[in-house]
Amino acid sequence: MNTQYKNPISNNNIISNELYDNVVADYLETQSVRQTAKNCNTSMVTAQRILITEGLWSSKSSRQVKELYEIGKSIDQIAEELCLTRDTVYTYMPYSRGMYGMEHTDSAQYSKEYRNRMTVAAEGMHTHHPANSEPIAADNLCSDSVEMAVPFDHAQKGLVVENFGSVYALHLSLVGGFIYGADENLDMESEERAELLRLAKAKKGITRDILVPGEMNLHALHYAIQKLFGWQNSHLHNFSLSQEDFDSLTKKNFGEYKDLCGVLFRFPDDDLSDVYWDDDYKAGVSVKTWLRRKYSAPFRQLSVGDSWLGNQWEMEEFCDRFPEFQRDITLQDITEKVVVEQDFNYLTERLRIDEVLRKDAGCGRDEEISQWKRDVSDKVAILKEQLVDWDEEVLKDYASQLRIWRHNMDYIERMSWLNPDTYKEEIEDTFKKPYEDAVAEHKYAIKYWTEICNDILCEMNISPRPCVDTLYYRYDYGDDWCIKISLQEVYHRIKGGKYVDHDGFELAEDLESMLAEIQKKGKPVCVAADGLNLMDDCGGIYGYLRKLQTITGQDKAEAAEMRGWARSLGWTGRKSKPENIL
């Protein structure tokens, strides 16, 4: 007899193994209850309850129902306590399994692997931050000032970013290491590259084509790239210009770079708790769902180090420490004299796509760059005039408070996975208060100081005109992954809600509908994909090739072991339909 799954309320409702397993497998692919119900030809309620049973989906109501049911409350008691109807409670109840002597079905393995992936993802995302980073002394935290009023007028604003109502078509391709020239042939001999593409099920390269709202920022694009290529946000990353574009804009000297710090570039900064302010993933949450929230509107970037003012303060401190570095010193000379934590060619992730990328960049390049810099200089002058009425020292102190609270919250979270048996005692000893109180205080303070600093982080910034047509995304500096981001087309929305391409030509109706939906939802869409997903911690391109060779090799035991390792990182060896990737 087959294993069956029974409704805990009514034994008349029996779910077949096939439907149960199909729902689980489909949801792991689509991450949409509605789409899964449609694909499996079942009701939303049935799909939802199967996923609740497997621990793959939950909501606030389902968790409340589960907690009350587990302590022995009846369906009627739960309905009364939560002010729900009996039928509504029923939709949040898991199915009970009647095994009848049978082994676990495929769904159990799917779910186990999925939950393991969530645990691995949570552990991986903690590796952003150095394990030896100590908390800042509690007496340096202005915890008593959380009730303090804001001493500046939030009605005052900086430069307002204009919404052009455009959608950008981007081509993302895996290339060889950026440091060594971002080689289109993946730094491989032709035979090796051919084998990699064959094993990765790629025709021309490991690539993705996406349509993104013009107002999407680089911060959100980072999370989209993680999803597009199958990574789990476990390592450091950055966006850079091509070396040619960087050299053209900075002339390779400190003075030119200084003028663009906070406009295009983020000053080298080792405060990773501020850089990765938005990495709040917790085990038990779908990695796909978590990433989707990050690359969907509203697009925010609340890192102090990505703001124009934050960069100005960093630069001022640097110049005070090294007054001998004059405008004409080269960036190369600086790196030979002092230790610079990061490369100078790091873009601030506050930048929107429509503030960076433009079609036909490069025509009359010298004059174009000169005009672009004059425009930036004019905008900086305007913003500095607006700052006259603001108390900059107060703003700087507020930004410092936000950094401190973020740093210490990062310490609290890191201790919970480094020392799972003793972390509460360590936190209590560090902050001289009960663990729950310390966590609550930090969460509240971070929310408070973020709101206080909102003008600094979001409004008091320079909105440059776009100046290049290519960017590079680097991920995991040990594995040295590099994705080349090329602008293919810009679709502008015009009066009447219609769209035209860069040359002003009208578009097909189905494309227009897709562009309108992208802008309405504020979410990118993948329209083409070539090649399997990549993997975290596999040793870069050559390591990826070796692991694919092992997985497809003759040694079955070794292949099974390697495939199990890859699946723990979310790699399935299956190609997804482009429309299901994001």
Side-chain angles (χ1 to χ4, degrees):
M1 183 180 295
N2 286 338
T3 304
Q4 295 175 324
Y5 299 88
K6 300 179 181 179
N7 176 353
I9 302 171
S10 170
N11 289 333
N12 295 324
N13 185 6
I14 299 178
I15 306 300
S16 71
N17 278 345
E18 182 180 9
L19 174 59
Y20 195 100
D21 289 341
N22 286 345
V23 166
V24 171
D26 190 86
Y27 179 75
L28 295 180
E29 177 68 28
T30 66
Q31 290 293 297
S32 167
V33 179
R34 185 181 300 279
Q35 189 63 44
T36 290
K38 181 179 178 181
N39 292 347
C40 296
N41 195 27
T42 189
S43 69
M44 279 276 290
V45 170
T46 298
Q48 179 176 290
R49 292 185 60 200
I50 289 173
L51 297 172
I52 289 173
T53 304
E54 287 299 316
L56 301 179
W57 181 92
S58 69
S59 66
K60 180 179 179 181
S61 295
S62 74
R63 291 189 290 273
Q64 290 174 326
V65 167
K66 180 173 183 275
E67 289 171 2
L68 294 174
Y69 187 69
E70 287 178 347
I71 63 174
K73 297 275 188 178
S74 69
I75 302 303
D76 290 330
Q77 288 173 324
I78 294 172
E80 181 178 358
E81 186 164 335
L82 298 181
C83 298
L84 301 173
T85 66
R86 195 173 188 277
D87 287 343
T88 300
V89 172
Y90 169 79
T91 67
Y92 291 122
M93 294 295 293
Y95 289 108
S96 60
R97 300 190 179 199
M99 297 306 296
Y100 300 108
M102 293 296 294
E103 296 297 324
H104 288 289
T105 57
D106 290 341
S107 62
Q109 184 62 25
Y110 296 153
S111 303
K112 180 181 178 181
E113 290 178 351
Y114 183 73
R115 289 191 291 270
N116 286 343
R117 291 204 300 271
M118 291 192 289
T119 300
V120 170
E123 293 173 352
M125 291 191 200
H126 285 295
T127 62
H128 285 143
H129 312 307
N132 61 354
S133 180
E134 296 297 328
I136 295 174
D139 56 5
N140 288 333
L141 297 176
C142 297
S143 55
D144 294 336
S145 64
V146 173
E147 300 299 326
M148 184 167 52
V150 186
F152 54 83
D153 183 4
H154 279 271
Q156 298 183 65
K157 300 295 179 183
L159 300 179
V160 178
V161 176
E162 193 173 353
N163 184 354
F164 295 98
S166 300
V167 175
Y168 285 61
L170 307 179
H171 178 70
L172 281 60
S173 58
L174 177 68
V175 295
F178 178 79
I179 294 176
Y180 307 106
D183 181 47
E184 300 283 350
N185 293 317
L186 305 178
D187 289 331
M188 287 181 155
E189 299 294 333
S190 58
E191 295 81 5
E192 288 177 314
R193 183 176 183 276
E195 183 176 16
L196 173 65
L197 296 186
R198 177 179 65 82
L199 295 177
K201 301 178 183 179
K203 295 179 180 178
K204 296 182 178 180
I206 299 177
T207 65
R208 309 289 186 258
D209 289 274
I210 59 175
L211 296 171
V212 303
E215 65 268 23
M216 185 180 195
N217 59 25
L218 297 184
H219 174 70
L221 182 59
H222 151 67
Y223 292 107
I225 293 174
Q226 288 287 303
K227 181 67 176 66
L228 286 161
F229 288 91
W231 292 313
Q232 293 192 329
N233 195 44
S234 299
H235 300 280
L236 306 181
H237 75 275
N238 75 277
F239 289 90
S240 300
L241 300 182
S242 71
Q243 196 60 52
E244 180 183 4
D245 285 332
F246 179 77
D247 291 346
S248 295
L249 286 164
T250 64
K251 308 301 182 187
K252 302 183 182 181
N253 71 57
F254 179 59
E256 298 284 345
Y257 173 82
K258 179 180 176 182
D259 293 341
L260 299 180
C261 205
V263 177
L264 276 186
F265 305 112
R266 178 183 177 120
F267 187 80
D269 184 356
D270 63 348
D271 184 357
L272 297 183
S273 58
D274 178 66
V275 174
Y276 295 95
W277 66 276
D278 206 18
D279 285 355
D280 54 2
Y281 179 81
K282 298 290 187 295
V285 177
S286 160
V287 178
K288 294 180 180 179
T289 300
W290 181 81
L291 287 172
R292 187 181 296 120
R293 288 200 301 268
K294 301 299 182 181
Y295 59 70
S296 299
F299 305 116
R300 306 181 306 155
Q301 173 54 343
L302 302 178
S303 164
V304 176
D306 274 320
S307 67
W308 179 76
L309 264 179
N311 278 275
Q312 296 304 299
W313 298 331
E314 291 269 13
M315 184 59 75
E316 287 174 8
E317 181 180 341
F318 183 79
C319 291
D320 287 343
R321 288 175 58 201
F322 303 103
E324 68 273 20
F325 292 164
Q326 301 302 306
R327 286 188 63 89
D328 59 351
I329 189 174
T330 68
L331 296 175
Q332 178 64 36
D333 284 342
I334 290 178
T335 60
E336 292 175 357
K337 296 177 183 296
V338 298
V339 176
V340 180
E341 294 293 342
Q342 299 173 345
D343 195 283
F344 287 109
N345 187 8
Y346 278 19
L347 294 174
T348 167
E349 293 189 17
R350 181 197 77 246
L351 290 166
R352 297 162 33 138
I353 300 298
D354 59 16
E355 293 176 327
V356 187
L357 295 174
R358 54 162 289 203
K359 287 283 285 180
D360 304 324
C363 301
R365 195 64 173 153
D366 289 342
E367 177 54 35
E368 181 183 85
I369 289 176
S370 295
Q371 179 57 48
W372 182 87
K373 288 184 176 179
R374 286 193 291 271
D375 181 66
V376 166
S377 180
D378 290 343
K379 290 178 177 179
V380 169
I382 292 172
L383 190 50
K384 285 183 175 179
E385 286 181 7
Q386 295 176 337
L387 279 171
V388 171
D389 297 328
W390 297 53
D391 189 333
E392 245 190 283
E393 288 304 313
V394 171
L395 298 183
K396 188 184 297 186
D397 180 61
Y398 285 1
S400 176
Q401 285 294 317
L402 179 56
R403 281 181 180 267
I404 290 172
W405 286 99
R406 281 177 174 170
H407 175 90
N408 283 2
M409 188 64 192
D410 179 65
Y411 168 81
I412 291 173
E413 293 177 344
R414 190 171 59 255
M415 287 300 102
S416 68
W417 63 270
L418 280 177
N419 305 314
D421 298 327
T422 62
Y423 72 94
K424 288 189 177 181
E425 291 84 350
E426 292 180 35
I427 298 306
E428 290 175 354
D429 183 61
T430 299
F431 296 103
K432 312 304 180 187
K433 61 185 61 181
Y435 170 79
E436 289 76 12
D437 291 349
V439 171
E441 178 186 44
H442 278 75
K443 287 182 177 180
Y444 180 79
I446 290 171
K447 182 175 183 294
Y448 174 81
W449 289 110
T450 300
E451 292 174 354
I452 291 295
C453 295
N454 188 67
D455 284 329
I456 305 171
L457 303 176
C458 300
E459 302 296 339
M460 297 177 63
N461 287 306
I462 306 300
S463 176
R465 290 188 289 109
C467 58
V468 298
D469 57 15
T470 304
L471 299 177
Y472 290 90
Y473 171 84
R474 296 175 58 205
Y475 173 65
D476 187 349
Y477 305 150
D479 281 5
D480 196 27
W481 295 111
C482 183
I483 302 297
K484 181 180 180 180
I485 305 167
S486 307
L487 175 61
Q488 303 296 299
E489 184 57 88
V490 182
Y491 300 107
H492 299 289
R493 187 174 58 192
I494 59 176
K495 189 175 181 180
K498 292 187 67 63
Y499 288 83
V500 296
D501 65 15
H502 176 68
D503 295 316
F505 291 107
E506 294 187 1
L507 309 175
E509 186 175 339
D510 57 343
L511 178 56
E512 275 206 318
S513 298
M514 181 184 293
L515 299 175
E517 189 74 2
I518 289 169
Q519 286 211 285
K520 178 182 178 182
K521 292 185 175 180
K523 177 177 170 291
V525 169
C526 183
V527 294
D530 192 8
L532 296 175
N533 276 346
L534 303 173
M535 305 174 190
D536 273 308
D537 302 317
C538 68
I541 293 175
Y542 277 98
Y544 181 55
L545 172 59
R546 288 191 293 270
K547 286 173 174 55
L548 292 179
Q549 290 169 331
T550 300
I551 288 170
T552 58
Q554 297 301 311
D555 189 325
K556 300 302 181 184
E558 190 177 32
E561 182 180 355
M562 183 62 73
R563 182 175 289 276
W565 173 84
R567 290 178 73 167
S568 75
L569 297 173
W571 189 88
T572 64
R574 297 191 301 270
K575 295 180 72 172
S576 298
K577 294 179 180 179
E579 60 269 24
N580 290 337
I581 293 179
L582 288 177

